[in-house]
Amino acid sequence: MTATDVVVVGAGPNGLAAAVTAARAGLRVELFELDEHIGGGARSAELTLPGFVHDVCSAVHPMAFASPFFRAFELERRVEFVTPEISYAQPLAGGRAALAYHDLERTAEALGPDGAAWTALLGPLSRRMDELMEFTGNALLRLPRHPLVALGFGMRVLDQGSPLWNTRFRGDAAPALLAGTAAHAIGRMPGLATSGAGLLLAAQAHARGWPIPVGGTQRIADALAADLLAHGGRITTGRHIRSLAELPRASAVILDVTPRAFLSIAGDAVPARYAAALRRFRYGNAVAKVDFALSGAVPWANAETARAGTVHLGGSRAQTAAAEAQVAAGRHAEHPFVLVAQPSTVDSSRAPNGQHALWSYAHVPAGSTIDPTEAVTARIEEFAPGFRDVVLASSARSAVELEEHNPNYIGGDIAGGAVTLGQLLRRPVARRDPWRTPVEGVYLCSSSTPPGPGVHGLGGWHAARSALRHEFGIRTAPRLGVDD
């Protein structure tokens, strides 16, 4: 036995999940983090004014209740969440808004003539969310345990990922809602990858909702770190790992880094063929982020929009697709897609004295250096006249500045790699166990591995379980739930 059994590099959600899984298996775990604070994409901080708690990256968490890892970890017992009645909204011209309620039936009722089509599209997916997550939360090259659920999902992806995507709807509200969820993938629409991402998010909205952690996303990272420490793990922050030689001797090393960083860290130990495959891995387009401290609630033209945890500012489906096409072509969109989260509407701890903390980002080309403040402010003002009047302060990061903050965000790509059909099958390479690398005892677990982006811990969970099997002969997954 070595002094340390497992070393994890990177204290984002996946790195923390890997470390917790290994520690729960009775192994000695050391975790190293470049930043002075843990969390990665699950961090919170005062970015604007004292007393305003902003989420540094992720703010709303559709996977918090759906992720098989978080369900095994019993996250709901460790972190308090609030689930908004309206999961997401898409404001439209003329002061209208399309609304996706947590309640599927209420959403269908609000959609009027398109309600039945909405229910037929998303009802079967939301009712079988656990089986669907077993398929989408794993490497897609593996045979699904529930083939009929996978087939049903695949048929709907084809339906919404082709130029015929509007044929089942008569109005503009339902297609706009789906365009807003598909845009999370930051890619061309219609497309199979964007369609798949959008349908999964839309189904999660009706299955368990899009919950928001009370006190900030940092609470998720803190819960994972607390469990790791409680089971003997150690965490070192402010440590930049540049090579495998800098790490303590261990039987397994799990890296929550991009393929590009892995090649740098592992160096000549990486076989040439595998290295070439990783160099072909493509990174996607980016986001530029703005956080606002507000004196009051956003004055949405449509009052119901204020009750949504998430607001997609893209307009109609055609307008959203046009903005995403401009970004895909390497241009800044004239009317960019802007994603807004308003956690303080359901969590008063985020801002003092009835004021509000607002989270937002715009989609931009990779490597953009443009300060997004004015573009985002103007986009919100378009659907909320008078928004400028309630802004007390703001804090912005361009796409390049996001990468400077977190090296895993190559060029501002928060997804850890382009979300395309090809890269969903080979993320980062086409293998049944893509988390295991050819370097002996070394594993990858970042968003560049399946199932991809999001705060779900699944990349780390899968990588750790692979390491447990191959390096320690542990084939039974450890119990992760709360110690009663």
Side-chain angles (χ1 to χ4, degrees), residues 217-445:
T217 294
Q218 185 74 49
R219 299 295 175 87
I220 297 175
D222 290 346
L224 289 163
D227 192 86
L228 171 61
L229 295 174
H231 290 86
R234 294 194 293 178
I235 299 174
T236 300
T237 59
R239 178 78 178 274
H240 188 181
I241 302 300
R242 295 178 173 83
S243 73
L244 294 177
E246 297 178 19
L247 296 173
R249 289 184 57 215
S251 298
V253 174
I254 304 176
L255 304 173
D256 185 3
V257 302
T258 64
R260 183 180 298 180
F262 166 74
L263 287 172
S264 176
I265 292 170
D268 294 340
V270 185
R273 186 173 178 181
Y274 186 77
L278 293 189
R279 292 190 187 99
R280 290 193 294 270
F281 186 78
R282 294 192 300 110
Y283 298 92
N285 278 309
V287 305
K289 188 169 181 288
V290 189
D291 290 283
F292 296 94
L294 307 179
S295 62
V298 178
W300 298 109
N302 180 279
E304 291 296 287
T305 303
R307 297 164 55 208
T310 300
V311 184
H312 299 140
L313 302 182
S316 68
R317 173 175 259 183
Q319 290 169 333
T320 300
E324 294 300 274
Q326 290 175 19
V327 172
R331 303 190 299 271
H332 288 85
E334 183 179 357
H335 300 286
F337 177 84
V338 171
L339 195 152
V340 172
Q342 35 192 14
S344 55
T345 61
V346 292
D347 176 11
S348 61
S349 72
R350 301 296 189 97
N353 305 320
Q355 297 170 316
H356 287 273
L358 195 74
W359 178 105
S360 68
Y361 70 55
H363 289 175
V364 296
S368 170
T369 59
I370 293 177
D371 183 320
T373 305
E374 176 54 32
V376 169
T377 301
R379 194 64 162 141
I380 298 175
E381 179 89 16
E382 182 180 344
F383 297 100
F387 172 69
R388 293 179 189 272
D389 297 333
V390 299
V391 176
L392 297 173
S394 64
S395 173
R397 281 193 173 114
S398 68
V400 165
E401 288 169 333
L402 283 173
E403 181 180 358
E404 292 171 357
H405 164 71
N406 188 333
N408 274 3
Y409 302 156
I410 304 287
D413 172 14
I414 60 172
V419 181
T420 64
L421 181 60
Q423 289 204 162
L424 290 176
L425 295 174
R426 54 179 191 279
R427 196 168 182 92
V429 294
R431 290 185 169 194
R432 282 178 51 82
D433 187 349
W435 306 278
R436 188 185 185 195
T437 80
V439 181
E440 185 177 357
V442 178
Y443 297 76
L444 278 176
C445 75

Side-chain angles (χ1 to χ4, degrees), residues 60-148:
V60 181
H61 299 279
M63 296 289 281
F65 297 166
S67 162
F69 168 74
F70 279 146
R71 294 184 69 202
F73 186 67
E74 297 183 319
L75 184 64
E76 289 181 72
R77 295 183 61 187
R78 303 169 187 263
V79 176
E80 182 183 357
F81 286 89
V82 180
T83 302
E85 181 184 10
I86 300 175
S87 296
Y88 59 97
Q90 182 105 354
L92 299 168
R96 298 179 301 128
L99 305 173
Y101 293 87
H102 183 187
D103 187 302
L104 176 60
E105 292 183 3
R106 189 170 182 186
T107 304
E109 181 180 352
L111 290 173
D114 282 334
W118 184 269
T119 300
L121 180 68
L122 293 170
L125 300 182
S126 62
R127 288 191 294 271
R128 304 292 296 275
M129 182 52 63
D130 291 346
E131 294 93 334
L132 181 58
M133 282 304 306
E134 286 188 13
F135 169 59
T136 58
N138 214 314
L140 295 185
L141 290 179
R142 298 186 178 191
L143 292 175
R145 291 181 57 191
H146 304 278
L148 292 181

